Amino acid sequence: MTLEKAFDPRLATGETTVTGRDVEMLRAIDRFGSMHRAAAKLGRSYPHLQRRVVELEDEIGQLTRRERGGTDGGGTRLTAEARDLIRQFERLRVELAGVTTVPESIIRGTVREQYGELATVRTAAGEITARVPAATEEVEIAVRADAVVLMEPHSPPHSHTSLRNQLSGVVSDLAVGDATATVTVEIADGVGLTSVVTAESVDRLDLAAGTDVIAAFKTTAARGTPLDA
Amino acid sequence: MTLEKAFDPRLATGETTVTGRDVEMLRAIDRFGSMHRAAAKLGRSYPHLQRRVVELEDEIGQLTRRERGGTDGGGTRLTAEARDLIRQFERLRVELAGVTTVPESIIRGTVREQYGELATVRTAAGEITARVPAATEEVEIAVRADAVVLMEPHSPPHSHTSLRNQLSGVVSDLAVGDATATVTVEIADGVGLTSVVTAESVDRLDLAAGTDVIAAFKTTAARGTPLDA
DNA sequence: CGGCGTTGTGTCGACATAGATATATCGTCG
DNA sequence: CGACGATATATCTATGTCGACACAACGCCG
């Protein structure tokens, strides 16, 4: 049974929350120039759509310029604020989609020391510093593959960067795609760390199954979730 | 009007989707040992809760061991699969929450060349390679602050890493918190790139307002969203 | 054997959501 | 002044969700 990650993005303000349906509605109004045609194209009723527009504007401010009468009977156009709203929502959707799309690596460990929102965690691959909620012992550390940097093993020590977790390992799996490649580095027995890099980086770092590499990631990119509770 | 990013996590399988409410229900069953008490504590009706458990099990497989009769009247316990499900959901929630919590930097640009899912984009801060949907011209590139690596400017060139975007700039803002710090680097006039690093990295890299630094991020961590549409 | 606290069902009604329908209003044009 | 196509609004109805209530089945115990 494979469970797929999914989500519903929302933009919330005290009272109302803007949903994907609302954004779809605004897009349709923008494209078709009137709420009537937007409602028709979306297959939803005009009265509810119209009320929703008013409701949103009561909360968020003017989103449309609605005019009735005139040679074409009138119509509705979006304001710049509405377009900003759409862009903001789209960015959120893309960012959230990244979470469900990008592979993540899970490393179990036990918390050694906690510093505010950070902690050092002992794992099979050595000590890792990560974001960990307070007062937890056993944790799972999750690292997104697009946050894992691969480095040549014999390069000078990278002490002058903010990459605090640097784990040496061996490439155990390499899937080169169109323009990107998914690389899994075994950093300890049975512990893999997956990274998504450009195909160009695969060439530049001379990566292949069996290659020695250093997999690095920032403390703030590693998130621990409690295992107990 | 500030709109807060929000989301509803889900775990989807062909037919049913597991919602936060379902996970909360499983947690309550686990804690109180019976569906009746779980329903009471959650303030929801037993029949619907019970039906939902059966419905979920029909889709996902056995989640509970339900027993009736006996000295204590029976009760319901979770299976290991149910606990896995809860953990998986919690990880998703944490990852998605990261998106709404971590600051992101937005850089506008125009696509120069597209390679599959990647593209080089001309921006005010120079060329940047990023993930960009096909057939778009004007884009906004979003980079999460926990994916931005800070490096000393005079260190040897980091050509032996998978960090393809390396932009030099000046620290324009520095907010040191409990254990982490939010650093904004001005990489061009009016273009800021925000990074969240550990307080220790601030010391190690000797960061302060006005310091020269290199801000780097992976191509796969930069996501473009179309501006036109 | 009856009591108890469960799990398992069936059914009803309250409530919110959304489409369907009807009507009023508005402003330009022929 | 009437037609047209849009906005604005009231109201009815279908639908789905969920709590409320009722009742059967189960299995151990006193």
Side-chain angles (χ1 to χ4, degrees), chain A:
Chain A
M1 179 53 49
T2 58
L3 291 170
E4 255 173 52
K5 301 173 184 176
F7 59 90
D8 284 320
R10 298 195 318 259
L11 288 175
T13 155
E15 299 297 306
T16 320
T17 81
V18 181
T19 68
R21 199 164 189 252
D22 293 326
V23 172
E24 180 191 42
M25 172 182 76
L26 290 177
R27 277 218 181 85
I29 292 173
D30 192 31
R31 186 144 98 234
F32 301 114
S34 88
M35 296 195 288
H36 249 114
R37 281 199 294 273
K41 295 283 182 178
L42 292 176
R44 44 185 298 198
S45 76
Y46 172 80
H48 273 97
L49 185 143
Q50 189 269 348
R51 259 191 254 277
R52 182 57 181 163
V53 169
V54 173
E55 193 180 354
L56 283 177
E57 292 195 316
D58 283 350
E59 272 312 309
I60 331 187
Q62 193 168 5
L63 295 174
T64 62
R65 241 174 281 277
R66 314 196 290 281
E67 281 167 12
R68 54 183 171 182
T71 170
D72 55 352
T76 300
R77 289 171 307 141
L78 297 191
T79 63
E81 291 77 41
R83 279 178 232 281
D84 271 353
L85 178 68
I86 292 174
R87 273 199 287 275
Q88 195 177 340
F89 192 89
E90 190 53 24
R91 280 207 308 270
L92 175 61
R93 210 186 54 71
V94 168
E95 288 283 306
L96 291 174
V99 171
T100 64
T101 301
V102 172
E104 65 178 2
S105 309
I106 313 281
I107 308 170
R108 285 173 110 99
T110 73
V111 173
R112 308 302 280 180
E113 208 165 350
Q114 187 113 20
Y115 313 92
E117 50 190 328
L118 305 183
T120 61
V121 179
R122 163 157 309 200
T123 74
E127 291 235 328
I128 291 177
T129 62
R131 287 186 128 133
V132 173
T136 56
E137 271 297 313
E138 293 293 303
V139 290
E140 271 177 340
I141 298 175
V143 187
R144 294 165 53 124
D146 59 5
V148 176
V149 177
L150 299 183
M151 311 188 296
E152 285 183 357
H154 304 306
S155 53
H158 295 74
S159 60
H160 30 52
T161 79
S162 57
L163 285 168
R164 289 206 38 201
N165 293 299
Q166 304 195 8
L167 307 168
S168 60
V170 177
V171 174
S172 65
D173 202 51
L174 178 66
V176 182
D178 199 9
T180 64
T182 305
V183 185
T184 302
V185 180
E186 192 169 13
I187 54 177
D189 275 1
V191 182
L193 194 55
T194 300
S195 175
V196 175
V197 299
T198 61
E200 189 198 309
S201 287
V202 171
D203 288 344
R204 193 149 37 116
L205 296 176
D206 232 359
L207 297 179
T211 309
D212 285 339
V213 282
I214 295 174
F217 53 89
K218 292 175 51 167
T219 295
T220 52
R223 289 199 155 63
T225 58
L227 260 183
D228 18 39

Side-chain angles (χ1 to χ4, degrees), chain B residues 46-65:
Chain B
Y46 172 80
H48 273 97
L49 185 144
Q50 190 270 347
R51 262 189 257 271
R52 181 57 179 163
V53 169
V54 173
E55 192 180 354
L56 282 178
E57 291 194 316
D58 282 350
E59 272 313 309
I60 324 187
Q62 193 168 6
L63 296 173
T64 62
R65 242 172 282 278

Side-chain angles (χ1 to χ4, degrees), chain B residues 35-37 46 51 66 68-69 73 76:
Chain B
M35 295 194 288
H36 249 115
R37 282 200 294 274
Y46 172 80
R51 262 189 257 271
R66 312 195 290 282
R68 55 181 170 183
T76 299

